Amino acid sequence: MLSLSAARRLSLLVVAVTAGVMAAMIVDIMLARRGMELTGVSQDLLRRGGTQMHAALAWWAITGVAFVASFVIAATMSRFSWLYFRSLRWVAAALLALALATVAGGVPLAAPEAAGPHALATLTALAVAMMMAWFGAFFAVRR
């Protein structure tokens, strides 16, 4: 059985990683709305000799936001007592879910022939974002 401090630390890590991945999803959606899809950036890079800066920006934006968001959330949750703010947690979770739903409403659909590579690139980016979110949360909660 986990002790209370170990259970609290584990729950902080899970919450921070989840929030970090959700923030990375929002960034991925916002980049797609501006025409910077992960597969489109790599295709432009290979076909037309596009700048490598766009490819790097898309990947680093997604993973960087996951790291920073999870670090900030884990640091905040581990430093303050949330005993009296229980209702605010539900409000914050509802606002984050509402923001994700609002942002996701205007995502352009991928072309039918590019749906597979687009899904693979997005899942890969979110897996890397999850790893970076775990690093951010781990460094914030580390003692």
Side-chain angles (χ1 to χ4, degrees):
M1 185 92 185
L2 294 172
S3 68
L4 184 60
S5 63
R8 183 171 186 263
R9 182 173 185 228
L10 183 63
S11 67
L12 286 173
L13 288 172
V14 168
V15 167
V17 168
T18 303
V21 170
M22 287 183 78
M25 290 170 68
I26 290 172
V27 169
D28 183 29
I29 291 168
M30 295 304 291
L31 287 174
R33 285 175 120 179
R34 287 169 176 73
M36 289 186 63
E37 294 181 5
L38 296 172
T39 54
V41 169
S42 63
Q43 289 172 357
D44 287 345
L45 184 63
L46 295 175
R47 287 188 188 149
R48 292 187 277 163
T51 63
Q52 293 180 353
M53 184 61 86
H54 288 281
L57 177 69
W59 285 91
W60 280 103
I62 292 170
T63 56
V65 163
F67 181 84
V68 170
S70 66
F71 183 86
V72 168
I73 290 170
T76 303
M77 289 181 63
S78 66
R79 308 280 191 289
F80 297 111
S81 174
W82 293 91
L83 182 63
Y84 301 109
F85 300 116
R86 287 184 183 166
S87 60
L88 287 180
R89 287 185 276 184
W90 290 104
V91 171
L95 287 176
L96 185 62
L98 182 63
L100 187 59
T102 302
V103 170
V107 176
L109 294 176
E113 64 274 359
H118 178 70
L120 183 61
T122 301
L123 287 175
T124 304
L126 290 178
V128 173
M130 186 178 358
M131 185 175 61
M132 291 298 290
W134 184 85
F135 286 141
F138 176 77
F139 290 134
V141 180
R142 182 177 63 159
R143 303 221 183 218

